[in-house]
Amino acid sequence: MGLLRNSLCAMALFAASAGNAATLLEPTLHLKPHDVEGGGGRVALTLDACGGTTDTRILSALVDNRIPATIFVTGIWLKRNAEAVEIMRAHPDLFELENHGGRHVPAVDTPRKIFGIRSAGSPDAVQAEVESGAAALAGAGGPAAKWFRGATAEYSPSAIAMIRRLGFKIAGFSVNGDGGSLLGAKETARRIGAAKDGDVIIAHINQPTHAAGEGVVQGLLALKQKGMTFVRLDDAEGVGNDGTTD
């Protein structure tokens, strides 16, 4: 009987664990349809600055080619990249800085690991991650953040509700441009260059030694050559699922 009870307990724990895993959400985000002069369509480029340094290949290409972008920055990255922040602040028509959290901790309010990164693990810790990221941005000057994107871009539903109550829209995406900065240049360029009207692209600007950065630049220039218009999230109405923007 004890063995049976233990087996049933183990099955219940497994089911609970599977249930928790199934509740994680990776929200999408698209731009609302909008008439664009010339008919090339619109896309939003969003770049995560998780930690580390700055990929100047991407930053220079954005400035030189007048490509607007929404940059999701962590408190960690802000501390280490004052020069890049200064460049972005000097081009307010191009760069919109938004909240990627204080310590790059996934906004999941139960203890677990996502892509090897330990989650916030509790509602209080999710709130601290969001608020510390906003505070770091405020300390760096410029407008207050309106959008939040958590580390790994995966969330528990209850964390999404909390973040919305804190006053932030949650930035999903529709095109994973660089696979977490782990893809090669060719595949990254292909993915970004294939973006369609209304897409929101995610890539990374904090991995200067990765080949993906070269692909980001190539893909963006291909879109520009096609006549695509780039917009920041703050300049376009984005529609996300799972209660992330409504």
Side-chain angles (χ1 to χ4, degrees):
M1 192 68 177
L3 183 59
L4 177 61
R5 185 182 300 112
N6 289 340
S7 297
L8 290 173
C9 288
M11 291 172 64
L13 286 171
F14 177 81
S17 176
N20 286 337
T23 63
L24 284 193
L25 303 172
E26 185 179 272
T28 60
L29 183 67
H30 290 86
L31 305 180
K32 275 193 172 181
H34 178 82
D35 291 333
V36 177
E37 187 176 345
R42 298 187 310 164
V43 295
L45 172 65
T46 68
L47 295 168
D48 288 0
C50 311
T53 56
T54 303
D55 192 331
T56 56
R57 296 170 297 181
I58 299 174
L59 183 57
S60 296
L62 297 178
V63 173
D64 293 345
N65 293 279
R66 308 296 299 165
I67 296 175
T70 302
I71 315 294
F72 283 89
V73 298
T74 65
I76 298 169
W77 186 87
L78 283 170
K79 288 180 181 178
R80 299 173 179 169
N81 293 272
E83 184 176 348
V85 174
E86 186 175 345
I87 292 171
M88 292 175 185
R89 293 298 194 203
H91 296 87
D93 56 327
L94 295 181
F95 298 108
E96 167 192 357
L97 272 60
E98 296 290 352
N99 186 357
H100 197 31
R103 299 185 299 111
H104 198 247
V105 175
V108 174
D109 52 17
T110 54
R112 59 180 300 163
K113 284 189 176 181
I114 303 122
F115 302 119
I117 303 176
R118 193 176 300 279
S119 68
S122 71
D124 286 347
V126 171
Q127 182 171 342
E129 171 72 358
V130 177
E131 292 183 335
S132 62
L137 264 171
K146 299 177 183 177
W147 291 84
F148 176 80
R149 174 180 286 153
T152 75
E154 294 198 2
Y155 310 81
S156 49
S158 48
I160 287 176
M162 173 188 288
I163 295 163
R164 296 292 289 122
R165 287 195 298 271
L166 291 172
F168 295 94
K169 293 182 179 180
I170 296 171
F173 56 92
S174 59
V175 174
N176 186 340
D178 64 358
S181 192
L182 298 177
L183 294 176
K186 184 176 181 180
E187 176 62 13
T188 298
R190 185 195 69 77
R191 289 189 180 194
I192 292 177
K196 307 297 184 186
D197 181 35
D199 273 331
V200 175
I201 302 165
I202 184 176
H204 292 76
I205 194 170
N206 66 306
Q207 296 289 357
T209 64
H210 290 195
E214 178 185 345
V216 170
V217 173
Q218 292 172 355
L220 294 176
L221 295 182
L223 287 176
K224 186 178 181 183
Q225 183 68 29
K226 292 178 184 178
M228 197 69 77
T229 297
F230 294 89
V231 296
R232 304 175 305 179
L233 291 184
D234 201 29
D235 298 327
E237 190 169 1
V239 180
N241 60 354
D242 298 317
T244 51
T245 61
D246 53 15

